[in-house]
Amino acid sequence: MGLLEDSSDQDLIARHVAGDPEAFGEIVRRHRDRLWAVALRTLGDREEAADAVQDALVSAYRAAHTFRGQSAVTTWLHRITVNACLDRARKTASRRTSPVAETERLEQLLEPEESAAAPAERQDLHRELLSALRTLPEEQRAALVLVDMQGYPVAEAAAILDIPTGTVKSRCARGRARLLPLVTHLRADNGDSKPASGGRNRAQGTSVPPTAGPKDTGAVKGGGGRA
């Protein structure tokens, strides 16, 4: 196992394609948490996110022989995961749940430890932000999750989504414009009118307020531990 841990991602893909039964498990161990965070924030539902990541990992497992090293393995995995999320979002668009059920599911995103320790205002902001994100078209939501919430540079988000950087910027701008009326009151209620800071790629102007990241990454089926 030590040799696997010392191998690069691309070496692990090559070993997996060559028949090493342990190589892909190491890839999952390294990247699962970030894939899970993207899926959870994109879909806003724990079960859907877990299924999307599972679908993505199965797809990556089967398609590893097509990987040509033209991008980083993590970019390749994120692209597959985002596509799996968008597929699920489209399939479930016609099966909207009632507002009560929606609220119950969003509340499940808060871990018990967080619920006990975090201020009620923070929990409310988290829930309302996730609810607001779900009102966006899935393409805008995916761009905002990657750039504003996960902190990916626009160029890297474009590579993940397989679209031009200009398209990422325009989707983020449109998404922020649609979210602004829904989240402005959260900042006012919080007594903080300053733009949220943090992240690798905060764009100037209005951006999505940060959420508390998921701690229970073990929800992904068949995954390994944190790298």
Side-chain angles (χ1 to χ4, degrees), residues 13 44 49 99 114-115 122 131 208:
I13 290 288
E114 182 182 58
S115 298
R122 180 66 175 177
S131 182
V208 180

Side-chain angles (χ1 to χ4, degrees), residues 24 28 31-32 34-61 76-92 134 141 219-222:
F24 196 79
V28 171
H31 298 283
R32 184 201 62 179
R34 282 178 291 176
L35 301 180
W36 163 247
V38 168
L40 183 58
R41 288 184 168 95
T42 302
L43 293 169
D45 179 275
R46 185 178 296 277
E47 184 175 350
E48 287 289 328
D51 288 342
V53 175
Q54 183 73 4
D55 291 346
L57 291 176
V58 169
S59 295
Y61 183 93
W76 178 68
L77 290 173
H78 275 70
R79 181 184 302 142
I80 294 173
T81 301
V82 169
N83 287 337
C85 289
L86 298 183
D87 286 344
R88 283 197 165 267
R90 295 185 187 103
K91 290 176 182 177
T92 59
R134 288 177 70 89
R141 190 191 316 163
V220 177
K221 304 168 186 175

Side-chain angles (χ1 to χ4, degrees), residues 57-69:
L57 291 176
V58 169
S59 295
Y61 183 93
R62 293 173 176 171
H65 66 282
T66 68
F67 179 76
R68 295 291 180 261

Side-chain angles (χ1 to χ4, degrees), residues 85-156:
C85 289
L86 298 183
D87 286 344
R88 283 197 165 267
R90 295 185 187 103
K91 290 176 182 177
T92 59
S94 60
R95 296 187 282 111
R96 299 298 182 190
T97 57
S98 67
V100 173
E102 186 79 3
T103 301
E104 289 173 352
R105 282 215 306 275
L106 289 173
E107 287 177 347
Q108 292 172 6
L109 297 178
L110 294 170
E111 298 304 314
E113 298 84 0
E114 182 182 58
S115 298
E121 294 82 2
R122 180 66 175 177
Q123 297 177 32
D124 290 342
L125 184 147
H126 188 194
R127 285 194 292 269
E128 292 198 43
L129 172 58
L130 288 170
S131 182
L133 278 170
R134 288 177 70 89
T135 68
L136 297 180
E138 55 263 27
E139 290 83 2
Q140 292 177 17
R141 190 191 316 163
L144 277 178
V145 166
L146 290 173
V147 175
D148 279 2
M149 300 179 72
Q150 296 299 111
Y152 284 96
V154 169
E156 191 170 348

